[in-house]
Amino acid sequence: KGKRQLSLHADDAGQFLKSVGIFDSITGGVLSISGNYDDAKGQASALSAKLVIVDYVVKDAPILAKILSLASLTGFLDTMQGKGINFKKMLVPFTLKNDVITIKDAKTYGSAIGMTADGTITM
């Protein structure tokens, strides 16, 4: 009926993201992506999905370190250069259409910090 489903699971989120060339600063974690393609006639196929990663660590992430230094969070900078920052959960709702990923209301949190994000990525 014009719908396809996507379901992906990885027991090591960091290794999966690194192996597909997306991000190499995450270690550990369990990743799942689930969504639906809308293949209705007259429209380009669009994917509406959700990425979830639980219990992961971010370390050696220069962009995150810059953001934290702008906020004068020196304790976090020290953490980024050592063991990393532990996060409990990341939730990223997104759509993919015409090689553009649109992220809306993404969030991640751990015991030390929480972040939210919106934006687009052109592939």
Side-chain angles (χ1 to χ4, degrees), residues 13 19-20 24 41 43 51 68 85 87 89 91 104:
S19 68
V20 295
D24 61 359
K41 289 184 179 182
Q43 294 182 350
L51 175 140
L68 296 174
I85 297 178
F87 287 92
K89 187 173 186 179
L91 174 62
K104 180 77 172 145

Side-chain angles (χ1 to χ4, degrees), residues 2 9 11 24-26 30 45 47 53 58 72 103 106 121:
H9 177 85
D11 287 330
D24 61 359
S25 296
I26 289 180
V30 176
S45 184
L47 171 66
I53 304 176
V58 175
S72 298
I103 297 168
I121 302 168

Side-chain angles (χ1 to χ4, degrees), residues 25-74:
S25 296
I26 289 180
T27 59
V30 176
L31 176 143
S32 64
I33 300 174
S34 59
N36 294 302
Y37 284 93
D38 185 359
D39 294 326
K41 289 184 179 182
Q43 294 182 350
S45 184
L47 171 66
S48 294
K50 175 175 59 173
L51 175 140
V52 178
I53 304 176
V54 295
D55 297 327
Y56 66 99
V57 177
V58 175
K59 58 182 172 179
D60 302 323
I63 293 172
L64 186 53
K66 279 187 178 186
I67 291 168
L68 296 174
S69 67
L70 290 173
S72 298
L73 301 171
T74 55

